[in-house]
Amino acid sequence: MVLPALPAAGGIQPGPGAERPEFYAPEPELKSCLDNAISQHPALLASRANYQAARERVPQVTALPDPTLNVSQAIRSVETRVGSQTGGITLTQSLPWFGARDLRGRVALSEADAQFLRLQAEEREVIARAKRAFYDIAYLDAALRLLEEERSLLGHYETLARARYATGQGLQQAVIRLQAELTRIDDRQRQLTGQRRTLAVNLNTLCARSPATAVPPIPAIEPPALSLDRAQLLDLGERNRQELRAATALIEASEDAVELAGMSFRPRFTASLALMNVAGRDPADVLGPLPPDEGKNSLSLSLGVSLPVWKEKYRAGVEEAGHRLTANRRRLEEAQDAMENAVELALIRIETIREQLALLEDVLIPQSEETLHATETAYETSQVGVLDLLDGERIQLDVLRMRARYVSDFLIALADLERGIGTRVPQPAGRAS
């Protein structure tokens, strides 16, 4: 009778895979990768199995103990008025104190809820780690594209330098310097390609794919338009951060466990039903008439009660449950601090990167473009040398690489912010993706 009411006692009753995490991932390759990670990552599959195992605890702890069936056979029968007792059968059932099974079910449900929320936290961690790897690859792809542009530009300058040297208008030093710069680009490309391969292996592992799976080049990415409100983000974290909700579920389980431990001071009951076999007697062996109930089996019902006399043992159980409750409350405080810390750090990084991007786009990139254009014009008219040209070209490409790095860092900070609040960062209306 207790079991049908138990599900309502738990905080959540999700089925495996019932809640898919929401996250910002407009890039199709990233979204496909994350979907595969959520459904196939071995650590997440193990956590889902642990959650399912925790749910199976509920019917176990709410069931009555197995009844005991005793069969007895008299070695020497006992003679009674109605005949001799030759043996019997006794069925015994133990009964816990009123409400104990309900409390055990609530504890098990709350612990299963906490296990499910830990699974969701693991999903969020895998998502955040995969996003960091993906956006680091996006930066490397942007840097490699800039190196190709630089190679093309330097090749053009080398052609001009060779032509000038051939006509006696230029120096061999300019040709050698440009060739050295091209060699530097080759070395830098090898470095970045090696880093990309390492990150691709890491990304594939996180996404539960073969490490050798090819990760296609990631197109240029622009940071999303966000309107971040600190109070709103903290409120989202309070309601969605999985570690906070798991700690709350464990507190609920511990509170019920304290009440359950207090029931140890209450007695437990035992009900027994006994059927005794009574053998009838031969009338010739009995003087006088046989009693009317001669040879009828006896049926008896008995009730027993335990005596909880070992008070220290039960008191220690209550103290143990109380300490666990205190520990879980401290863990809730720790989870609260971790959420607030994650939000604050991510907001600081996002705001700092926004300012850096604004400076680049409004000041440094236009300045570097104007400087390079003026230097190229002066070089073509022999007003400046190749070193000045290389300096102008390098400044512009460094500024563009810096912007690509800031964009990737912005998206990584956004992933950390989503990890901190346990859900997707709110997007402006009409910009959800």
Side-chain angles (χ1 to χ4, degrees):
M1 294 176 63
V2 174
L3 289 177
L6 282 176
I12 56 175
Q13 287 77 43
E19 294 187 18
R20 301 286 290 181
E22 294 185 359
F23 47 81
Y24 176 80
E27 302 83 10
E29 170 65 19
L30 176 59
K31 189 175 187 308
S32 173
C33 172
L34 295 180
D35 287 340
N36 198 67
I38 293 167
S39 60
Q40 299 295 330
H41 195 285
L44 300 182
L45 293 177
S47 293
R48 287 192 186 96
N50 285 333
Y51 162 67
Q52 292 169 336
R55 292 285 296 180
E56 297 302 328
R57 289 287 302 162
V58 177
Q60 297 180 60
V61 299
T62 54
L64 286 172
D66 290 335
T68 302
L69 181 66
N70 292 321
V71 179
S72 61
Q73 177 63 44
I75 298 176
R76 178 180 296 174
S77 62
V78 179
E79 295 295 332
T80 67
R81 182 181 65 85
V82 296
S84 57
Q85 295 181 347
T86 60
I89 299 176
T90 304
L91 183 66
T92 303
Q93 175 66 63
S94 297
L95 301 169
W97 186 258
F98 307 104
R101 287 193 300 156
D102 180 67
L103 277 175
R104 292 195 195 106
R106 285 158 54 184
V107 170
L109 271 177
S110 294
E111 290 176 347
D113 289 346
Q115 179 62 40
F116 179 78
L117 291 163
R118 283 193 290 266
L119 161 63
Q120 289 188 316
E122 289 180 30
E123 289 177 343
R124 286 286 170 189
E125 184 61 29
V126 169
I127 289 170
R129 291 170 59 193
K131 280 188 171 186
R132 294 184 196 114
F134 181 85
Y135 289 125
D136 278 335
I137 292 175
Y139 161 69
L140 293 177
D141 286 345
L144 287 168
R145 284 192 293 270
L146 288 172
L147 281 177
E148 283 299 325
E149 291 181 17
E150 187 176 7
R151 172 190 293 280
S152 176
L153 195 59
L154 289 177
H156 172 66
Y157 293 155
E158 185 194 19
T159 301
L160 290 178
R162 284 178 178 275
R164 287 186 178 186
Y165 178 65
T167 59
Q169 298 178 0
L171 300 176
Q172 186 181 19
Q173 179 186 7
V175 177
I176 296 173
R177 180 61 186 270
L178 287 167
Q179 291 175 341
E181 287 297 316
L182 288 169
T183 302
R184 179 188 64 81
I185 290 176
D186 290 338
D187 181 63
R188 182 61 178 160
Q189 280 183 323
R190 282 191 291 269
Q191 292 179 10
L192 295 183
T193 301
Q195 294 176 22
R196 190 188 192 282
R197 291 175 62 187
T198 301
L199 287 170
V201 170
N202 185 33
L203 178 65
N204 285 327
T205 301
L206 289 168
C207 294
R209 302 186 302 205
S210 169
T213 301
V215 178
I218 300 172
I221 300 175
E222 291 300 319
L226 297 175
S227 179
L228 301 178
D229 179 77
R230 179 180 178 277
Q232 181 189 19
L233 292 170
L234 290 175
D235 180 65
L236 285 172
E238 290 276 358
R239 292 186 283 112
N240 294 283
R241 171 88 170 185
Q242 289 74 31
E243 288 85 349
L244 275 173
R245 296 172 62 197
T248 301
L250 288 177
I251 288 175
E252 294 174 359
S254 296
E255 290 172 345
D256 289 331
V258 170
E259 185 178 353
L260 183 61
M263 289 186 177
S264 300
F265 293 96
R266 305 293 181 87
R268 292 176 296 279
F269 306 100
T270 302
S272 298
L273 184 65
L275 176 65
M276 187 62 64
N277 182 45
V278 178
R281 292 171 292 184
D282 190 336
D285 296 335
V286 180
L287 296 176
L290 293 174
D293 52 356
E294 171 69 18
K296 290 186 177 180
N297 296 334
S298 66
L299 183 65
S300 63
L301 175 66
S302 61
L303 297 176
V305 61
S306 67
L307 301 177
V309 297
W310 312 116
K311 303 295 184 183
E312 287 303 317
K313 177 178 72 172
Y314 306 133
R315 190 173 294 110
V318 173
E319 290 295 326
E320 176 188 1
H323 290 314
R324 294 189 188 280
L325 174 59
T326 300
N328 286 325
R329 285 173 174 165
R330 298 292 85 81
R331 289 192 181 98
L332 176 61
E333 295 174 3
E334 179 187 17
Q336 179 75 30
D337 292 341
M339 183 274 292
E340 294 178 359
N341 180 68
V343 171
E344 292 292 345
L345 290 179
L347 283 176
I348 290 173
R349 288 170 57 201
I350 288 173
E351 291 304 319
T352 301
I353 295 170
R354 271 179 168 172
E355 294 173 0
Q356 292 168 324
L357 282 172
L359 178 63
L360 283 171
E361 293 167 353
D362 297 340
V363 180
L364 294 180
I365 291 179
Q367 287 180 348
S368 66
E369 290 175 347
E370 291 176 5
T371 300
L372 179 61
H373 179 70
T375 305
E376 286 175 337
T377 302
Y379 178 72
E380 291 173 357
T381 58
S382 301
Q383 297 178 18
V384 297
V386 70
L387 294 180
D388 297 313
L389 180 64
L390 290 177
D391 285 341
E393 178 264 341
R394 186 177 295 114
I395 288 173
Q396 185 192 38
L397 292 176
D398 284 345
V399 169
L400 294 177
R401 274 191 288 267
M402 194 182 305
R403 184 186 185 280
R405 181 71 267 179
Y406 286 157
V407 170
S408 292
D409 287 345
F410 182 92
L411 293 168
I412 290 173
L414 181 59
D416 291 340
L417 181 58
E418 286 190 341
R419 175 68 183 94
I421 64 176
T423 188
R424 178 175 177 154
V425 171
Q427 304 286 305
R431 292 184 176 267
S433 58

